[in-house]
């Protein structure tokens, strides 16, 4: 093993001699300590001198630094970066009473209570792979610093201790479920970071998220889910857990945890409950650290039928008839995230049979379809869409699905296949169906080939579907209400809105004449095509979604297609408190109106924004919608009591960081212990002086780093 230069092996002067020369101890005191040391009462001279009251730790530390010609550290002023702290585990630090300080090149400066402990320095050198340079500090200060720095690491994750989501997840290999874990791996699964990442994955699945975004910021880490097409902020996490979370995700996805300067892609598979989910992971280096995005693919979606997607009956019947054609090209168009892949897979489920050879070429293969031969595009092996499509044509196919037409070469081969007795399904990125036909001609496909090969173009968008908690109006339409199942958004899941353009003789004439997109659109409507907006309005009339949501997802093509403003129910204006993001907001949950109003006045006079609820059920709705900075709640209340409310708050990733203080007349040690065990930040009994209550509130806010204004 290489010489780690861990500590000087030769001493110019003995420690005792130096202390006598400096006047720290007398020769008599030194002799007394040396005699006790020889009797086996203690190991280190310095520790004995301190225990017998002859010297202070600081004096011993200064003498050792001079004796060994090494630095001495002032641990009051020391700050240890997270990446340096990660190099040495807390167990190792406590075992040898050391603390990693900073790194220069391949040198690790290590603060040691006993810098002459060669075994300790060599052990740290072995575990870190670095050369250790000792720095001395008093033993009690080293122990306190270890607890301080590593406790900060642990407390960063302790706020998630009440989550019970992690146990619902298991990781599987590509072929089968993993064998029962060994004891070491089981212990690793109980590690705080592992539990947190597992909880995030389970929570995202329960929330119906399609993507998880772990986004590093300058002072923290944001966690967001894409739910029903919209990104939703879930929580902010301490900066020090950033690298650990990304590393855990990389380990799960078979990625290189040591490579942090290049983008990486990986995948894993998990089981939550009884369902299997594929996770596609992508990391990207940013100025504030690595960002990770996890795409969640539900394998059950591969078996979705056309009748589950949201087709109106007449459009569904027409589309099914087109899929029974023996040849031709059917295009599904729309922007990224509009559900094109789901529609194509549902179409394949509708056409596959024992008598047909169905082959796909995709990038990537998102879902596995039984009875379908699926080919994955691979840039590394040179298998592009065009190359894959050429090979497929030699496999005697009946139905071909091309994941996406990206270039002229792929388009030409797809059109060739459609001309030679194959039914071809593919996707294209255009805003609507009429523009897709014009786009094909623009990229170089002859107009006569477009008109003779394309049999239909289906354009689509996804709009959020109203949750079952919706309220039905007298006119049959529905309004969003909000419940715990939909996280009080009023929407749960999405539904597609379509426009189906069939190539009629009139449309073919317009295309052959090189008509503009507007000409094609006018001809399509004259031929009976119903636009996506009109298709969506049918769903609005049936109470499936709202006009506001439809307008967000599908902008009307013409002003005349918009509903009059008076008929659109716009969201109510934000409350006065919601327009003050610079002030700390407190939610009071109290069923006694007089006391509730008194509390509001007290808190408002201390520069807090205040909102209130009369019971836990009402409070839960406000918590999801308003995201207060602190909850001050009574214990016993009607509908939902304080403990049940606390259980909801602590059991959800998006709310588990909100401080909760109980303010109650119940002066019971048992009730207080139960509340604190469930995750309450404080328990205050009535009556209480306003000054004491405000101090308790400010202390809880400081602990959670949420106080925005000075007290």
């Amino acid at each position: 093993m290489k010489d780690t230069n861990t500590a000087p092996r030769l001493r110019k002067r003995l420690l005792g001699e130096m202390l006598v020369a400096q006047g720290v101890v007398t020769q008599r005191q030194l002799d007394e300590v040396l005699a006790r040391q020889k009797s086996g009462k203690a190991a280190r001279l310095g520790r004995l001198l301190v225990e017998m009251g002859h010297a202070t730790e600081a004096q011993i530390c200064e003498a050792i630094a001079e004796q060994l010609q090494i630095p001495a550290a002032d641990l009051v002023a020391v700050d240890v970066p997270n990446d340096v702290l990660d190099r040495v585990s807390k167990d190792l630090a406590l075992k040898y009473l050391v603390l990693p300080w900073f790194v220069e090149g391949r040198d690790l400066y290590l603060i040691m209570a006993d810098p002459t402990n060669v075994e300790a320095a060599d052990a740290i050198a072995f575990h870190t792979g670095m050369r250790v340079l000792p720095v001395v500090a008093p033993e009690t200060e080293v122990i306190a610093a270890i607890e301080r720095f590593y406790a900060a690491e642990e407390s960063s994750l302790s706020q998630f201790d009440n989550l019970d989501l992690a146990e619902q997840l298991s990781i599987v290999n590509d072929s089968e479920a993993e064998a029962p874990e060994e004891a070491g791996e089981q212990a690793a699964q109980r590690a705080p970071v592992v539990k947190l990442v597992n909880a995030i994955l389970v929570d995202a699945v329960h929330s119906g998220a399609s993507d998880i975004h772990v986004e590093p910021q300058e002072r923290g880490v944001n966690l967001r889910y894409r739910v029903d097409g919209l990104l939703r902020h879930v929580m902010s996490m301490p900066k020090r857990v950033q690298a650990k979370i990304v590393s855990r995700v990389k380990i799960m996805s078979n990625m290189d945890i040591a490579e942090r300067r290049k983008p990486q892609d990986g995948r894993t598979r998990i089981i939550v409950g009884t369902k299997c989910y594929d996770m596609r992971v992508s990391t990207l280096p940013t100025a504030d650290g690595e960002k990770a995005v996890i795409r969640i693919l539900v394998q059950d979606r591969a078996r979705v039928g056309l009748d589950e997607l949201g087709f109106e009956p007449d459009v569904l019947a027409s589309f099914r008839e087109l899929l029974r054609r023996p040849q031709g090209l059917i295009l599904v168009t729309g922007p990224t995230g509009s559900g094109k892949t789901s529609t194509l897979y549902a179409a394949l489920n509708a056409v596959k049979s024992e008598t047909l050879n169905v082959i796909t070429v995709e990038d990537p293969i998102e879902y596995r379809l039984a009875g379908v031969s699926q080919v994955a595009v691979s840039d590394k092996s040179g298998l592009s869409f065009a190359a894959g499509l050429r090979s497929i044509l030699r496999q005697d196919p009946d139905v071909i699905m091309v994941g996406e037409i990206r270039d002229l070469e792929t388009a030409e081969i797809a059109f060739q296949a459609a001309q030679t007795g194959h039914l071809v399904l593919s996707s294209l990125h255009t805003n609507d169906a009429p523009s897709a036909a014009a786009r094909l001609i623009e990229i170089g496909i002859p107009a006569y080939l477009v008109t003779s090969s394309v049999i239909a173009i289906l354009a689509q968008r996804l709009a959020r579907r109203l949750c079952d908690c919706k309220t039905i109006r007298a006119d049959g339409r529905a309004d969003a209400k909000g419940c715990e199942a939909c996280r009080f958004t009023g929407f749960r899941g999405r539904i597609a809105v379509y426009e189906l353009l069939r190539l009629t003789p009139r449309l073919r004439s317009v295309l052959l004449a090189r008509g503009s997109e507007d000409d094609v659109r006018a001809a399509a409507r004259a031929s009976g095509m119903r636009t996506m907006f009109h298709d969506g309005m049918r769903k609005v009339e049936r109470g499936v979604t709202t006009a506001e949501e439809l307008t967000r997802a599908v902008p009307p093509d013409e002003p005349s297609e918009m509903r009059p403003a008076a008929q659109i129910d716009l969201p109510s204006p934000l409350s006065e408190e919601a327009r003050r993001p610079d002030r700390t907001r407190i939610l009071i949950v109290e069923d006694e109106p007089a006391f509730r109003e008194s509390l509001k006045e007290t808190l408002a006079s201390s520069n807090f924004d205040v909102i209130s609820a009369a019971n836990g059920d009402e409070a839960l709705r406000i918590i999801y919608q308003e995201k207060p900075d602190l909850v001050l709640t009574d214990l016993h209340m009607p509908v939902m009591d304080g403990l049940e409310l606390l259980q909801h708050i602590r059991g959800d990733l998006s709310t588990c960081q909100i401080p909760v203080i109980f303010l109650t007349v119940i002066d019971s040690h048992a009730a207080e212990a139960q509340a604190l065990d469930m995750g309450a930040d404080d328990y205050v009994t009535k009556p209480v002086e306003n000054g004491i209550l405000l101090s308790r509130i400010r202390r809880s806010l400081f602990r959670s780093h949420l106080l925005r204004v000075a007290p």
Side-chain angles (χ1 to χ4, degrees):
M1 182 176 176
K2 293 175 63 178
D3 180 12
T4 56
N5 192 25
T6 54
R9 267 54 172 181
L10 298 176
R11 301 176 181 174
K12 295 181 179 179
R13 298 177 64 185
L14 295 175
L15 178 61
E17 295 175 355
M18 294 179 61
L19 292 170
V20 172
Q22 294 171 0
V24 175
V25 298
T26 66
Q27 185 62 48
R28 181 178 177 180
Q29 290 172 330
L30 177 61
D31 292 340
E32 180 185 355
V33 172
L34 289 174
R36 184 172 180 181
Q37 190 180 41
K38 289 179 181 179
S39 67
K41 298 294 184 182
R44 288 166 49 198
L45 177 67
R47 177 181 292 179
L48 263 181
L49 288 168
V50 173
E51 288 179 356
M52 297 176 70
H54 298 325
T56 66
E57 279 193 304
Q59 290 171 326
I60 300 297
C61 182
E62 290 175 5
I64 291 175
E66 181 180 347
Q67 177 197 27
L68 302 180
Q69 296 296 295
I70 61 174
D74 179 6
L75 285 174
V76 176
V78 160
D79 186 23
V80 181
N82 296 334
D83 58 337
V84 176
L85 194 70
D86 292 341
R87 295 175 185 268
V88 179
S89 69
K90 182 180 181 181
D91 290 341
L92 211 57
L94 285 173
K95 178 179 179 180
Y96 294 112
L97 297 184
V98 298
L99 181 71
W101 188 4
F102 63 92
V103 172
E104 281 187 353
R106 294 193 55 78
D107 293 338
L108 172 63
Y109 284 81
L110 187 69
I111 299 173
M112 307 178 69
D114 180 9
T116 65
N117 188 339
V118 178
E119 178 189 354
D122 284 345
I124 301 300
F126 176 79
H127 280 84
T128 61
M130 306 190 73
R131 185 173 68 165
V132 170
L133 300 181
V135 179
V136 65
E139 181 176 312
T140 55
E141 292 186 15
V142 172
I143 294 173
I146 290 172
E147 293 298 332
R148 175 162 60 97
F149 284 108
Y150 287 97
E153 175 75 18
E154 294 168 357
S155 64
S156 298
L157 298 168
S158 63
Q159 58 193 310
F160 309 114
D161 286 346
N162 290 284
L163 295 170
D164 59 356
L165 300 171
E167 304 303 323
Q168 304 174 29
L169 175 143
S170 59
I171 303 171
V172 300
N173 293 321
D174 288 338
S175 57
E176 59 183 357
E178 290 180 342
E181 297 166 339
E182 298 180 359
E185 180 63 19
Q186 289 177 341
Q189 289 294 325
R190 292 192 293 269
V193 172
V194 175
K195 291 177 63 178
L196 173 58
V197 172
N198 288 357
I200 289 172
L201 294 175
V202 174
D203 183 62
V205 167
H206 288 173
S207 300
S210 61
D211 300 88
I212 302 170
H213 290 245
V214 180
E215 302 171 327
Q217 306 295 315
E218 184 178 0
R219 297 182 179 275
V221 186
N222 286 342
L223 176 68
R224 296 198 291 174
Y225 299 159
R226 188 174 294 279
V227 181
D228 297 336
L230 300 178
L231 278 173
R232 173 194 299 171
H233 179 82
V234 179
M235 66 175 178
S236 295
M237 296 175 285
K239 185 70 172 178
R240 65 173 56 249
V241 305
Q242 172 185 312
K244 294 185 181 299
I245 290 175
V246 175
S247 293
R248 175 57 188 168
V249 171
K250 285 183 173 181
I251 290 172
M252 294 175 61
S253 310
N254 297 315
M255 298 161 70
D256 184 0
I257 63 172
E259 180 56 72
R260 300 180 179 180
R261 297 170 297 177
K262 296 180 181 178
Q264 294 188 62
D265 294 309
R267 61 181 298 172
T268 187
R269 184 175 296 174
I270 65 172
I271 293 177
V272 178
T274 59
K275 290 188 177 181
C276 185
Y277 301 85
D278 277 340
M279 301 285 174
R280 302 287 172 79
V281 181
S282 172
T283 62
L284 180 69
T286 71
D288 296 312
E290 282 187 290
K291 175 180 179 179
V293 176
I294 305 171
R295 169 66 57 88
I296 303 174
L297 301 174
V298 187
Q299 289 302 310
D300 286 354
R301 291 178 185 168
R303 296 189 289 271
V304 170
L306 289 172
D307 53 353
E308 301 175 58
L309 298 180
F311 282 101
E312 294 297 304
D314 56 337
V315 178
L316 178 59
S318 182
F319 192 57
R320 286 188 182 278
E321 184 272 321
L322 290 166
L323 291 174
R324 290 193 290 269
R325 300 281 184 92
Q327 70 180 57
L329 177 62
I330 298 176
L331 289 172
V332 180
T333 74
T336 301
S338 59
K340 300 186 297 296
T341 300
S342 295
T343 299
L344 287 172
Y345 275 52
L348 291 177
N349 282 324
V351 301
K352 69 178 184 179
S353 70
E354 293 184 356
T355 62
L356 295 177
N357 180 18
V358 182
I359 308 179
T360 73
V361 54
E362 308 171 57
D363 181 23
I365 297 173
E366 295 195 5
Y367 305 108
R368 300 297 299 273
L369 293 173
V372 176
S373 300
Q374 296 174 267
V375 179
V377 168
S378 173
D379 293 333
K380 293 182 179 179
S381 61
L383 183 60
S384 62
F385 273 113
L389 191 50
R390 285 194 189 93
S391 299
I392 286 173
L393 291 175
R394 295 191 288 271
Q395 293 285 315
D396 186 31
D398 296 296
V399 180
I400 301 170
M401 194 271 274
V402 183
E404 181 183 345
I405 293 179
R406 297 179 177 177
D407 51 46
L408 178 59
E409 184 182 13
T410 305
E412 289 175 339
I413 302 172
F415 273 86
Q416 177 188 344
Q419 286 278 315
T420 55
H422 307 92
L423 179 64
V424 181
L425 309 177
S426 190
S427 68
L428 196 66
H429 286 278
T430 60
N431 290 329
D432 55 20
S435 61
R439 180 71 53 81
L440 290 170
I441 296 174
E442 289 175 3
I443 67 174
I445 303 296
Y448 73 87
L449 197 57
V450 173
T451 58
S452 62
S453 302
V454 177
I455 57 176
I457 302 172
L458 181 73
Q460 66 180 81
R461 293 289 193 284
L462 294 175
R464 291 183 297 168
R465 185 195 296 265
L466 282 166
C467 179
D468 291 339
C469 64
K470 63 187 176 184
T471 57
I472 305 299
R473 303 187 330 207
D475 60 3
R477 296 184 179 184
D479 290 324
K481 180 182 179 183
C483 65
E484 190 174 356
C486 63
R487 304 291 177 97
F488 296 95
T489 62
F491 296 90
R492 193 177 185 188
R494 289 189 289 178
I495 191 169
V497 293
Y498 296 100
E499 62 182 25
L500 180 62
L501 184 153
R502 301 185 60 150
L503 268 289
T504 62
R506 181 172 183 174
L507 268 171
R508 290 191 174 95
S509 298
V510 173
L511 289 172
L512 287 171
R514 301 298 297 271
S516 65
E517 288 187 16
D518 289 339
D519 295 332
V520 175
R521 190 172 291 108
R525 291 180 183 176
S527 300
M529 184 193 79
R530 186 166 59 244
T531 67
M532 286 182 284
F533 189 80
H534 285 158
D535 185 76
M537 284 305 298
R538 287 194 170 191
K539 295 173 174 62
V540 172
E541 299 294 340
R542 297 202 311 272
V544 177
T545 188
T546 65
E548 299 75 37
E549 172 61 16
L550 176 64
T551 303
R552 182 197 66 80
V554 188
D557 297 320
E558 299 175 2
S560 60
E561 293 174 341
M562 291 190 65
R563 294 171 62 203
Q567 297 180 23
I568 298 179
D569 303 315
L570 298 175
S572 59
L574 291 174
S575 63
E576 181 182 358
E577 292 83 4
R579 293 197 298 267
R580 298 184 196 167
D582 59 318
R583 296 179 61 179
T584 301
R585 185 182 310 172
I586 296 178
L587 169 62
I588 298 173
V589 191
E590 170 62 55
D591 60 330
E592 176 57 45
F595 187 70
R596 186 169 64 240
E597 291 304 313
S598 174
L599 269 179
K600 288 177 68 173
E601 292 180 7
T602 299
L603 296 178
S605 65
S606 297
N607 206 30
F608 292 114
D609 279 346
V610 185
I611 46 182
S612 62
N615 56 65
D617 188 58
E618 181 184 347
L620 195 61
R621 178 187 300 273
I622 294 174
I623 288 168
Y624 278 109
Q625 293 176 339
E626 300 285 343
K627 290 294 190 298
D629 298 322
L630 181 141
V631 175
L632 185 65
T633 181
D634 197 359
L635 186 60
H636 289 327
M637 296 178 293
V639 186
M640 180 189 295
D641 65 18
L643 290 177
E644 189 178 354
L645 174 63
L646 176 64
Q647 188 173 20
H648 281 283
I649 294 172
R650 290 291 176 259
D652 192 315
L653 272 176
S654 65
T655 59
C656 67
Q657 295 172 303
I658 299 175
V660 178
I661 298 177
F662 279 91
L663 180 59
T664 174
V665 296
I666 301 174
D667 187 6
S668 162
H669 291 301
E672 180 178 359
Q674 183 181 10
L676 295 177
D677 287 343
M678 291 177 63
D681 293 82
D682 206 346
Y683 189 97
V684 183
T685 55
K686 305 174 185 175
V688 59
E689 293 183 6
N690 290 342
I692 294 177
L693 177 61
L694 291 171
S695 296
R696 295 286 189 96
I697 289 173
R698 287 169 178 147
R699 183 180 65 177
S700 294
L701 287 167
F702 272 119
R703 283 178 176 175
S704 63
H705 307 289
L706 288 173
L707 191 60
R708 299 194 186 103
V709 293

